[in-house]
Amino acid sequence: MKNIIEITDFSAPELDIYARLSEGQLLNRAEPEHGLFIAESPKVVERALDAGCVPVSLLLEKKHIDGQARDVIARCGDIPIYTAEFDVLTQLTGFPLTRGVLCAMRRPLLPSVAQVCAGARRIAILENVMNPTNVGAIFRSAAALNMDAVLLTPASSNPLYRRAIRVSMGTVFQIPWTFLGAEASEWPQPGINQLRELGFKTVAMALSDEAISINDPRLLAEEKLAIILGTEGDGLCSATLADCDYTVCIPMSHHVDSLNVAAASAVAFWELGKKA
Protein backbone atom coordinates (compact mmCIF):
# COMPACT_ATOMS: atom_id res chain seq x y z
CA MET A 1 0.00 0.00 0.00
CA LYS A 2 1.32 3.43 -0.91
CA ASN A 3 2.31 5.82 1.90
CA ILE A 4 -0.73 8.11 1.63
CA ILE A 5 -1.04 10.81 4.31
CA GLU A 6 -4.14 13.00 4.40
CA ILE A 7 -3.67 16.70 5.21
CA THR A 8 -6.59 18.66 6.64
CA ASP A 9 -4.78 21.80 7.86
CA PHE A 10 -2.87 24.20 5.60
CA SER A 11 -0.44 24.93 8.45
CA ALA A 12 0.66 21.28 8.66
CA PRO A 13 4.49 21.07 8.65
CA GLU A 14 4.33 18.52 5.84
CA LEU A 15 3.27 21.39 3.58
CA ASP A 16 6.26 23.61 4.43
CA ILE A 17 8.29 22.49 1.44
CA TYR A 18 5.40 23.35 -0.90
CA ALA A 19 3.92 26.39 0.84
CA ARG A 20 6.46 28.15 3.01
CA LEU A 21 10.03 27.56 1.80
CA SER A 22 11.41 30.22 -0.52
CA GLU A 23 13.22 29.42 -3.76
CA GLY A 24 16.46 30.32 -2.01
CA GLN A 25 15.75 27.88 0.80
CA LEU A 26 14.92 25.14 -1.69
CA LEU A 27 18.11 25.85 -3.63
CA ASN A 28 20.16 25.53 -0.41
CA ARG A 29 23.36 27.17 -1.67
CA ALA A 30 25.19 26.25 1.56
CA GLU A 31 24.56 22.53 0.98
CA PRO A 32 23.65 22.18 -2.72
CA GLU A 33 23.65 18.39 -2.46
CA HIS A 34 20.51 18.79 -0.31
CA GLY A 35 18.80 21.23 -2.68
CA LEU A 36 15.22 20.61 -3.79
CA PHE A 37 12.82 21.83 -6.45
CA ILE A 38 9.08 21.57 -7.03
CA ALA A 39 7.67 20.09 -10.23
CA GLU A 40 4.04 20.76 -11.11
CA SER A 41 1.55 18.67 -13.08
CA PRO A 42 1.80 14.99 -14.02
CA LYS A 43 3.41 15.71 -17.41
CA VAL A 44 6.20 17.82 -15.90
CA VAL A 45 6.80 15.33 -13.08
CA GLU A 46 7.03 12.53 -15.66
CA ARG A 47 9.63 14.51 -17.63
CA ALA A 48 11.66 15.08 -14.48
CA LEU A 49 11.52 11.38 -13.65
CA ASP A 50 12.55 10.53 -17.22
CA ALA A 51 15.61 12.75 -16.71
CA GLY A 52 16.58 10.79 -13.59
CA CYS A 53 15.46 13.28 -10.94
CA VAL A 54 14.76 11.69 -7.55
CA PRO A 55 11.34 12.34 -5.93
CA VAL A 56 11.08 13.14 -2.22
CA SER A 57 7.32 13.51 -1.74
CA LEU A 58 4.10 14.16 -3.62
CA LEU A 59 1.26 16.53 -2.83
CA LEU A 60 -1.95 16.06 -4.73
CA GLU A 61 -5.66 16.45 -4.71
CA LYS A 62 -7.31 13.34 -3.28
CA LYS A 63 -9.31 12.56 -6.40
CA HIS A 64 -6.10 12.23 -8.45
CA ILE A 65 -4.74 9.23 -6.50
CA ASP A 66 -6.58 6.85 -8.80
CA GLY A 67 -6.86 9.40 -11.60
CA GLN A 68 -4.32 11.49 -13.49
CA ALA A 69 -1.61 10.99 -10.85
CA ARG A 70 -1.83 7.20 -10.90
CA ASP A 71 1.12 6.66 -13.27
CA VAL A 72 3.30 9.19 -11.44
CA ILE A 73 2.57 7.52 -8.10
CA ALA A 74 3.49 4.14 -9.55
CA ARG A 75 6.88 5.48 -10.63
CA CYS A 76 7.78 7.26 -7.39
CA GLY A 77 8.27 4.30 -5.08
CA ASP A 78 7.51 4.39 -1.37
CA ILE A 79 7.72 8.15 -0.79
CA PRO A 80 5.16 10.11 1.27
CA ILE A 81 2.08 11.04 -0.74
CA TYR A 82 0.36 13.97 0.92
CA THR A 83 -3.23 14.44 -0.15
CA ALA A 84 -5.94 16.94 0.66
CA GLU A 85 -9.23 18.26 -0.58
CA PHE A 86 -9.19 21.07 -3.12
CA ASP A 87 -10.26 23.78 -0.64
CA VAL A 88 -7.13 23.11 1.46
CA LEU A 89 -4.79 23.01 -1.51
CA THR A 90 -6.11 26.24 -3.05
CA GLN A 91 -4.41 28.09 -0.18
CA LEU A 92 -1.14 27.24 -1.96
CA THR A 93 -0.27 30.07 -4.33
CA GLY A 94 -0.78 28.92 -7.89
CA PHE A 95 -2.12 25.50 -6.98
CA PRO A 96 -5.06 25.67 -9.42
CA LEU A 97 -2.45 25.92 -12.20
CA THR A 98 -0.74 22.66 -11.27
CA ARG A 99 -3.42 20.25 -12.49
CA GLY A 100 -3.59 18.88 -9.01
CA VAL A 101 -0.13 17.35 -8.59
CA LEU A 102 3.08 18.69 -7.02
CA CYS A 103 6.30 16.75 -6.53
CA ALA A 104 9.29 17.74 -4.40
CA MET A 105 12.47 16.41 -5.98
CA ARG A 106 16.20 16.51 -5.31
CA ARG A 107 18.23 18.90 -7.44
CA PRO A 108 20.57 16.97 -9.70
CA LEU A 109 24.28 17.73 -9.78
CA LEU A 110 25.05 20.03 -12.68
CA PRO A 111 27.33 18.81 -15.47
CA SER A 112 30.36 20.77 -16.67
CA VAL A 113 30.21 23.17 -19.61
CA ALA A 114 32.31 20.73 -21.66
CA GLN A 115 29.90 17.88 -20.90
CA VAL A 116 26.86 19.95 -21.86
CA CYS A 117 28.47 21.10 -25.11
CA ALA A 118 29.85 17.73 -26.20
CA GLY A 119 28.53 17.06 -29.68
CA ALA A 120 26.48 20.28 -29.72
CA ARG A 121 26.16 22.35 -32.89
CA ARG A 122 23.91 25.16 -31.66
CA ILE A 123 23.70 26.35 -28.07
CA ALA A 124 21.95 29.22 -26.30
CA ILE A 125 23.65 31.46 -23.73
CA LEU A 126 21.50 33.42 -21.27
CA GLU A 127 23.34 36.46 -19.94
CA ASN A 128 21.84 37.65 -16.66
CA VAL A 129 18.26 36.72 -17.63
CA MET A 130 16.67 37.10 -14.23
CA ASN A 131 12.94 36.64 -14.86
CA PRO A 132 12.01 32.96 -14.27
CA THR A 133 9.10 33.28 -16.71
CA ASN A 134 11.48 34.33 -19.48
CA VAL A 135 13.96 31.60 -18.57
CA GLY A 136 11.23 28.97 -18.78
CA ALA A 137 9.94 30.30 -22.09
CA ILE A 138 13.45 30.38 -23.57
CA PHE A 139 14.05 26.78 -22.52
CA ARG A 140 10.82 25.71 -24.20
CA SER A 141 11.85 27.43 -27.43
CA ALA A 142 15.39 26.04 -27.20
CA ALA A 143 14.13 22.49 -26.83
CA ALA A 144 11.62 22.85 -29.65
CA LEU A 145 13.73 24.80 -32.13
CA ASN A 146 16.97 22.89 -32.60
CA MET A 147 19.16 24.12 -29.76
CA ASP A 148 21.39 21.36 -28.38
CA ALA A 149 22.09 22.94 -24.97
CA VAL A 150 21.59 26.03 -22.81
CA LEU A 151 24.24 27.76 -20.71
CA LEU A 152 23.44 30.47 -18.16
CA THR A 153 25.67 33.13 -16.63
CA PRO A 154 25.82 33.09 -12.81
CA ALA A 155 23.43 36.05 -12.44
CA SER A 156 20.65 34.35 -14.39
CA SER A 157 17.59 32.87 -12.71
CA ASN A 158 17.84 29.17 -11.92
CA PRO A 159 15.96 27.00 -14.44
CA LEU A 160 14.70 24.83 -11.57
CA TYR A 161 12.78 27.65 -9.95
CA ARG A 162 9.16 26.60 -9.75
CA ARG A 163 7.84 29.21 -12.18
CA ALA A 164 10.61 28.52 -14.72
CA ILE A 165 9.85 24.80 -14.67
CA ARG A 166 6.12 25.44 -15.08
CA VAL A 167 6.51 27.88 -17.99
CA SER A 168 9.00 25.57 -19.70
CA MET A 169 6.47 22.71 -19.52
CA GLY A 170 9.26 20.52 -18.17
CA THR A 171 11.65 21.10 -21.08
CA VAL A 172 14.29 22.11 -18.52
CA PHE A 173 14.57 18.34 -18.03
CA GLN A 174 14.82 17.60 -21.75
CA ILE A 175 17.68 19.82 -22.91
CA PRO A 176 21.18 19.79 -21.34
CA TRP A 177 22.09 22.92 -19.36
CA THR A 178 24.46 24.27 -16.77
CA PHE A 179 25.93 27.53 -15.49
CA LEU A 180 28.98 29.21 -17.00
CA GLY A 181 30.85 29.34 -13.71
CA ALA A 182 29.78 30.16 -10.18
CA GLU A 183 30.86 33.81 -9.93
CA ALA A 184 29.85 36.88 -11.93
CA SER A 185 33.52 37.52 -12.69
CA GLU A 186 33.58 34.40 -14.87
CA TRP A 187 31.52 36.12 -17.58
CA PRO A 188 32.09 37.38 -20.23
CA GLN A 189 35.66 36.30 -19.65
CA PRO A 190 36.80 33.55 -19.28
CA GLY A 191 33.40 32.22 -20.43
CA ILE A 192 33.66 33.38 -24.04
CA ASN A 193 37.20 32.04 -24.29
CA GLN A 194 35.93 28.67 -23.08
CA LEU A 195 33.26 28.68 -25.79
CA ARG A 196 35.89 29.41 -28.42
CA GLU A 197 38.09 26.60 -27.12
CA LEU A 198 35.08 24.31 -27.63
CA GLY A 199 34.87 25.46 -31.25
CA PHE A 200 31.92 27.88 -31.08
CA LYS A 201 31.54 31.18 -32.87
CA THR A 202 29.70 33.60 -30.62
CA VAL A 203 26.60 35.49 -31.78
CA ALA A 204 25.44 38.51 -29.74
CA MET A 205 21.75 39.24 -30.25
CA ALA A 206 21.64 43.03 -29.98
CA LEU A 207 20.48 46.25 -31.60
CA SER A 208 23.56 47.87 -33.08
CA ASP A 209 24.57 49.83 -36.17
CA GLU A 210 27.18 47.13 -36.81
CA ALA A 211 24.72 44.25 -36.50
CA ILE A 212 24.11 41.92 -39.42
CA SER A 213 20.70 40.44 -40.19
CA ILE A 214 19.80 37.15 -38.59
CA ASN A 215 19.38 35.60 -42.05
CA ASP A 216 22.93 36.46 -43.15
CA PRO A 217 24.27 33.32 -44.92
CA ARG A 218 27.57 33.52 -43.04
CA LEU A 219 25.77 32.50 -39.87
CA LEU A 220 24.16 29.41 -41.34
CA ALA A 221 27.53 28.38 -42.73
CA GLU A 222 29.16 28.27 -39.29
CA GLU A 223 29.59 24.75 -37.94
CA LYS A 224 29.01 25.71 -34.29
CA LEU A 225 27.22 28.77 -32.96
CA ALA A 226 26.66 30.05 -29.41
CA ILE A 227 23.66 32.43 -29.48
CA ILE A 228 23.88 34.95 -26.64
CA LEU A 229 20.72 36.63 -25.31
CA GLY A 230 20.78 39.48 -22.82
CA THR A 231 18.85 40.48 -19.77
CA GLU A 232 15.42 42.06 -19.92
CA GLY A 233 15.57 45.77 -20.73
CA ASP A 234 19.33 46.38 -20.74
CA GLY A 235 20.31 43.66 -23.18
CA LEU A 236 23.90 42.42 -23.43
CA CYS A 237 26.70 44.16 -21.59
CA SER A 238 29.25 46.13 -23.63
CA ALA A 239 32.10 43.73 -22.79
CA THR A 240 30.11 40.82 -24.22
CA LEU A 241 29.37 42.74 -27.41
CA ALA A 242 33.03 43.63 -27.81
CA ASP A 243 34.14 39.99 -27.44
CA CYS A 244 31.62 38.28 -29.74
CA ASP A 245 32.37 37.14 -33.27
CA TYR A 246 29.06 38.42 -34.66
CA THR A 247 26.47 40.97 -33.58
CA VAL A 248 23.08 40.02 -35.01
CA CYS A 249 19.68 41.67 -35.07
CA ILE A 250 16.16 40.62 -36.03
CA PRO A 251 14.71 42.95 -38.71
CA MET A 252 11.66 44.80 -37.38
CA SER A 253 8.66 46.48 -38.97
CA HIS A 254 6.10 49.11 -37.89
CA HIS A 255 8.85 51.03 -36.06
CA VAL A 256 9.07 48.37 -33.34
CA ASP A 257 12.60 48.52 -31.93
CA SER A 258 12.89 45.18 -30.13
CA LEU A 259 11.19 42.01 -28.87
CA ASN A 260 10.92 40.55 -25.39
CA VAL A 261 13.92 38.27 -24.83
CA ALA A 262 11.74 35.14 -24.83
CA ALA A 263 10.10 36.09 -28.12
CA ALA A 264 13.47 37.05 -29.63
CA SER A 265 14.91 33.71 -28.58
CA ALA A 266 12.24 31.80 -30.53
CA VAL A 267 12.98 33.77 -33.70
CA ALA A 268 16.75 33.38 -33.25
CA PHE A 269 16.58 29.64 -32.53
CA TRP A 270 14.31 29.00 -35.50
CA GLU A 271 16.54 30.87 -37.94
CA LEU A 272 19.98 29.94 -36.60
CA GLY A 273 19.05 26.37 -35.75
CA LYS A 274 18.38 25.45 -39.35
CA LYS A 275 20.56 22.77 -40.85
CA ALA A 276 23.17 24.14 -43.25
XYZ file of all heavy atoms in Angstrom, residues 25 30 40 44 51 74 99 114 130 134 138 145 152 155-156 185 208 213 221 235 239 254 257 273-274:
170
model
N 15.659 28.975 -0.167
C 15.751 27.882 0.799
C 15.733 26.524 0.112
O 16.453 25.603 0.506
C 14.611 27.985 1.811
C 14.758 29.161 2.774
C 13.512 29.363 3.618
O 12.384 29.368 3.104
N 13.704 29.540 4.919
N 24.180 26.690 0.595
C 25.195 26.247 1.557
C 25.465 24.753 1.446
O 26.588 24.293 1.658
C 24.759 26.605 2.981
N 5.490 20.645 -11.119
C 4.042 20.763 -11.108
C 3.425 20.078 -12.319
O 3.912 20.256 -13.436
C 3.638 22.239 -11.129
C 4.255 23.071 -10.011
C 3.809 24.517 -10.076
O 2.952 24.837 -10.928
O 4.301 25.318 -9.282
N 4.895 17.280 -16.279
C 6.197 17.821 -15.896
C 6.920 16.869 -14.948
O 8.130 16.651 -15.064
C 6.028 19.219 -15.274
C 7.352 19.717 -14.694
C 5.508 20.201 -16.325
N 14.252 12.197 -16.730
C 15.608 12.752 -16.707
C 16.442 12.225 -15.543
O 17.606 12.585 -15.407
C 15.549 14.284 -16.650
N 2.896 5.465 -9.311
C 3.487 4.139 -9.548
C 4.986 4.218 -9.783
O 5.721 3.274 -9.467
C 2.796 3.486 -10.742
N -2.669 21.445 -12.125
C -3.424 20.246 -12.492
C -3.404 19.215 -11.371
O -3.400 18.010 -11.598
C -2.900 19.660 -13.801
C -3.030 20.635 -14.958
C -2.667 19.999 -16.275
N -2.760 20.988 -17.336
C -2.488 20.723 -18.616
N -2.122 19.511 -18.968
N -2.580 21.660 -19.520
N 31.811 21.627 -20.610
C 32.309 20.730 -21.663
C 31.366 19.544 -21.864
O 31.119 19.129 -23.004
C 33.712 20.246 -21.313
N 17.044 37.284 -15.634
C 16.667 37.103 -14.228
C 15.197 36.766 -14.001
O 14.814 36.372 -12.910
C 17.038 38.365 -13.442
C 18.545 38.575 -13.353
S 19.014 40.166 -12.644
C 18.846 41.229 -14.082
N 10.716 34.272 -18.237
C 11.485 34.331 -19.483
C 12.429 33.146 -19.611
O 12.584 32.579 -20.699
C 12.261 35.641 -19.561
C 11.383 36.816 -19.956
O 10.357 36.649 -20.591
N 11.786 38.006 -19.570
N 12.280 30.578 -22.715
C 13.446 30.383 -23.571
C 13.813 28.910 -23.638
O 14.146 28.383 -24.705
C 14.631 31.235 -23.069
C 14.328 32.727 -23.260
C 15.914 30.863 -23.811
C 15.317 33.645 -22.555
N 13.239 24.180 -30.905
C 13.730 24.804 -32.132
C 15.227 24.583 -32.344
O 15.977 25.502 -32.674
C 13.396 26.301 -32.111
C 11.895 26.609 -32.033
C 11.648 28.098 -31.843
C 11.166 26.107 -33.272
N 23.896 29.254 -18.817
C 23.443 30.466 -18.158
C 24.600 31.112 -17.410
O 25.412 30.409 -16.790
C 22.314 30.178 -17.167
C 21.075 29.462 -17.716
C 21.152 27.958 -17.433
C 19.801 30.036 -17.104
N 24.478 35.145 -12.923
C 23.434 36.049 -12.438
C 22.053 35.713 -12.978
O 21.067 36.349 -12.605
C 23.789 37.495 -12.794
N 21.953 34.719 -13.838
C 20.654 34.348 -14.390
C 19.814 33.590 -13.360
O 20.344 32.971 -12.430
C 20.838 33.465 -15.630
O 21.416 34.194 -16.691
N 32.252 37.161 -12.045
C 33.519 37.523 -12.686
C 33.918 36.539 -13.792
O 34.827 36.828 -14.583
C 34.636 37.594 -11.645
O 34.795 36.338 -10.999
N 22.294 47.173 -32.891
C 23.563 47.873 -33.084
C 23.685 48.275 -34.547
O 23.207 47.568 -35.441
C 24.733 46.961 -32.691
O 25.970 47.496 -33.135
N 22.029 41.044 -40.302
C 20.699 40.444 -40.195
C 20.806 38.984 -39.775
O 21.770 38.283 -40.106
C 19.962 40.537 -41.531
O 18.728 39.845 -41.461
N 26.369 29.146 -42.293
C 27.534 28.377 -42.733
C 28.446 27.970 -41.588
O 29.297 27.088 -41.751
C 28.330 29.191 -43.756
N 19.638 44.416 -22.143
C 20.315 43.658 -23.184
C 21.698 43.197 -22.749
O 21.991 43.093 -21.559
N 30.938 44.627 -22.704
C 32.097 43.732 -22.793
C 31.755 42.480 -23.594
O 32.591 41.971 -24.353
C 32.573 43.352 -21.396
N 7.029 48.242 -38.632
C 6.099 49.106 -37.890
C 6.800 49.900 -36.787
O 6.211 50.185 -35.738
C 4.939 48.291 -37.306
C 4.066 47.655 -38.335
N 3.224 48.350 -39.167
C 3.939 46.352 -38.702
C 2.590 47.530 -39.974
N 3.016 46.303 -39.731
N 11.136 48.536 -32.047
C 12.598 48.518 -31.933
C 13.151 47.203 -31.404
O 14.320 46.867 -31.649
C 13.106 49.678 -31.067
C 12.546 49.648 -29.643
O 11.733 48.746 -29.352
O 12.923 50.519 -28.840
N 19.003 27.817 -35.986
C 19.050 26.371 -35.750
C 18.800 25.543 -36.979
O 18.824 24.317 -36.915
N 18.598 26.186 -38.102
C 18.384 25.454 -39.347
C 19.626 24.682 -39.736
O 20.761 25.108 -39.457
C 18.000 26.419 -40.478
C 16.653 27.088 -40.306
C 16.400 28.089 -41.427
C 15.058 28.784 -41.264
N 14.847 29.801 -42.324
